Amino acid sequence: QVQLVESGGGLVQAGGSLRLTCAATRRIFSVYTIGWFRQAPGKEREFVAAINWDGTTIYYADSVKGRFAISRDNYKNTVYLQMNSLKPEDTAVYYCAGRNSIAVRTTPAEYGYWGQGTQVTVSS
């Protein structure tokens, strides 16, 4: 089992940048597919980005393509989400999630491990 802890959220103006970090508590993290999801008030949790265990397969939601970049450092048991050109509609609680599989998936139900979330607020 692995525990995930997100950090790096905050308040930023539109057009600004933030980098979110997802840190894992166990070395087994290196075989996990990691995804980032977000949930805005009154909305369902939605997929943002995902990366497979060695970084060779990456998926992005259409709404963040070209603005967000996901990466991982397995030596540090950490996955990053670099968010650039932020928009007010990016405001949400961002969660990282893990699944013990090499297959990358984009639906929340296919991830068994979740962090507590970090708030991202983009002001206009």
Side-chain angles (χ1 to χ4, degrees), residues 38-116:
R38 66 187 181 186
Q39 188 165 19
K43 295 188 177 181
E44 293 186 353
R45 192 166 298 188
E46 65 173 3
F47 170 75
V48 175
I51 186 168
N52 73 331
W53 72 278
D54 64 354
T56 56
T57 300
I58 292 175
Y59 293 170
Y60 293 104
D62 288 343
S63 59
V64 306
K65 279 182 182 176
R67 300 189 298 122
F68 290 12
I70 189 172
S71 61
R72 68 189 297 160
D73 185 338
N74 287 340
Y75 292 103
K76 296 182 178 180
N77 294 342
T78 301
V79 170
Y80 305 99
L81 184 68
Q82 179 66 44
M83 305 187 297
N84 300 324
S85 302
L86 283 161
K87 305 175 181 180
E89 51 264 44
D90 294 318
T91 295
V93 177
Y94 282 71
Y95 299 89
C96 71
R99 63 189 309 266
N100 189 7
S101 170
I102 62 174
V104 179
R105 295 290 184 264
T106 62
T107 56
E110 298 194 79
Y111 287 77
Y113 305 99
W114 291 84
Q116 81 290 350

